[in-house]
Amino acid sequence: LKDEDIDRIIKMHISPVNVSVHTTNPELRVKMMKNKHAGKVLSYLDRMADAGIALCTQIVLCKGLNDGAELDRTLHDLIKYHPSLRSCAIVPVGLTKYREKLYPLEAFSPEECAAVIKQVNAYGDWCLKEFGTRIFYCSDEFYIRAGLPLPAEEFYEDYSQIENGVGMLTSMKAEFDMELDYLDELLADFRAPRTVSVITGMAAHKHISSLAKELETRVDGLTVNVYPIVNNFFGSSVTVAGLITGGDAVEQLKGKDLGDELLFPSVMLRADGDVFLDDMTPAELSKHLGVPVRANESDGAKFIAAVLGICE
């Protein structure tokens, strides 16, 4: 953005604005973004906050660069923008296998992920006490990598950063539990026996499996197979469902008994919702595997309906 772009945002009061901050250290931001103007644009935060523009921010955390003391600096600096600062998501950098000639980044270990969570939550706890809102949240991926339980639903307040993977699994579980209260009504349209297969990324496998198992035990005649897909296309270190390709799904599911239908996360599809990242279509996936396929939203209620085969 240029100065005149910020002038226009302020004049038109476009709010909220999503900002990828990463660090409030100007020199470090220049290094990370490989852009000589990257430090200057931090001043836009002051201008927008002074104008009452709501700021929803994100920090992609890179080991050895903007973590540790630098993360302390960034979180401390961002606090001054409250109440314009509405939320801040801290997410781990995603590392694909295509890193030749790129900066030598490393993944966070489980112990390091736990330390990041503790560090971020200390600021969140302080903000909650001072302002009545937590502001700072680690993404679900940090908790999964650390092997720690996800926070309860109230921790995430209004789920302001759910699109960044903050509280997504907790929200899905809460929706799932709520929908179970109406299970008897849903079962009026259920046709047994039914076997359905669900694919997901490695990160969410344990979570999705627990939901599937709970539903299985509650519904006679229902069998749910959950298959985690290893990301061979981008590299096995990429574990989120949104980066699974159709080709990897075909390769790893070929020859398996997938039952009556295969459900895949809708986030696997590109923005237009018609093809996977490798340009395979859902129809082609169905043809390769010999089973009907359907996209499913990351919503607990819709997950139940799709597994039961009662949604349109």
Side-chain angles (χ1 to χ4, degrees):
L1 296 178
K2 299 178 181 178
D3 288 339
E4 50 265 35
D5 297 317
I6 300 301
D7 291 337
R8 189 178 182 192
I9 288 173
I10 293 172
K11 181 178 180 180
M12 298 179 69
H13 200 77
I14 298 172
S15 182
V17 171
N18 299 327
V19 184
S20 294
V21 176
H22 307 319
T23 177
T24 54
N25 179 336
E27 292 77 20
L28 178 58
R29 197 167 196 275
V30 168
K31 177 181 178 180
M32 292 183 68
M33 306 299 289
K34 289 193 173 182
N35 183 329
K36 64 181 180 181
H37 302 296
K40 174 190 174 185
V41 300
L42 290 170
S43 65
Y44 295 160
L45 293 173
D46 295 281
R47 293 184 57 195
M48 289 188 288
D50 289 343
I53 303 297
L55 303 172
C56 299
T57 61
Q58 182 197 51
I59 297 169
V60 175
L61 206 61
C62 302
K63 181 178 176 179
L65 283 174
N66 60 340
D67 58 344
E70 288 293 347
L71 179 58
D72 276 327
R73 169 178 174 163
T74 299
L75 300 182
H76 182 269
D77 288 348
L78 287 176
I79 287 174
K80 72 179 181 181
Y81 295 113
H82 178 79
S84 288
L85 179 67
R86 299 293 174 83
S87 61
C88 179
I90 294 86
V91 304
V93 64
L95 301 176
T96 74
K97 65 182 181 182
Y98 303 103
R99 297 202 51 79
E100 186 178 353
K101 297 182 181 180
L102 295 182
Y103 189 90
L105 292 173
E106 296 181 11
F108 289 97
S109 70
E111 294 76 18
E112 289 165 340
C113 287
V116 169
I117 292 170
K118 183 178 181 180
Q119 181 180 8
V120 172
N121 284 351
Y123 284 88
D125 291 343
W126 186 89
C127 289
L128 185 63
K129 181 179 179 180
E130 293 294 318
F131 308 134
T133 179
R134 182 166 291 279
I135 298 179
F136 299 107
Y137 304 89
C138 284
S139 68
D140 294 356
E141 194 171 357
F142 267 116
Y143 287 90
I144 293 169
R145 290 189 187 184
L148 295 175
L150 293 163
E153 190 177 19
E154 57 269 18
F155 179 91
Y156 295 104
E157 300 174 20
D158 61 353
Y159 289 103
S160 58
Q161 289 277 357
I162 196 166
E163 291 184 356
N164 275 325
V166 175
M168 183 175 290
L169 296 180
T170 298
S171 175
M172 185 177 185
K173 181 63 166 68
E175 294 158 350
F176 179 90
D177 290 342
M178 189 178 300
E179 191 70 2
L180 284 181
D181 292 337
Y182 304 95
L183 186 58
D184 289 342
E185 298 175 27
L186 295 172
L187 290 179
D189 296 318
F190 175 65
R191 298 293 177 263
R194 173 172 166 81
T195 297
V196 61
S197 294
V198 180
I199 60 175
T200 184
M202 299 299 294
H205 176 232
K206 182 178 179 181
H207 176 81
I208 299 299
S209 294
S210 68
L211 300 186
K213 181 58 66 176
E214 185 170 356
L215 198 54
E216 258 189 346
T217 60
R218 298 277 295 266
V219 180
D220 292 334
L222 176 66
T223 301
V224 187
N225 302 314
V226 181
Y227 295 105
I229 303 299
V230 176
N231 200 319
N232 294 324
F233 187 91
F234 289 109
S236 59
S237 63
V238 177
T239 60
V240 295
L243 293 177
I244 297 172
T245 62
D248 277 345
V250 169
E251 179 185 347
Q252 295 172 48
L253 296 176
K254 200 77 170 177
K256 295 186 184 299
D257 182 7
L258 301 177
D260 302 303
E261 189 174 29
L262 174 67
L263 306 179
F264 65 87
S266 60
V267 293
M268 284 177 58
L269 298 174
R270 290 182 176 177
D272 293 336
D274 55 351
V275 295
F276 298 107
L277 294 178
D278 55 357
D279 293 327
M280 182 182 291
T281 67
E284 289 171 334
L285 177 65
S286 176
K287 184 177 180 180
H288 282 299
L289 296 176
V291 65
V293 303
R294 183 177 4 163
N296 188 51
E297 302 293 330
S298 299
D299 175 284
K302 291 180 179 178
F303 177 78
I304 291 177
V307 168
L308 295 179
I310 60 175
C311 56
E312 297 180 357

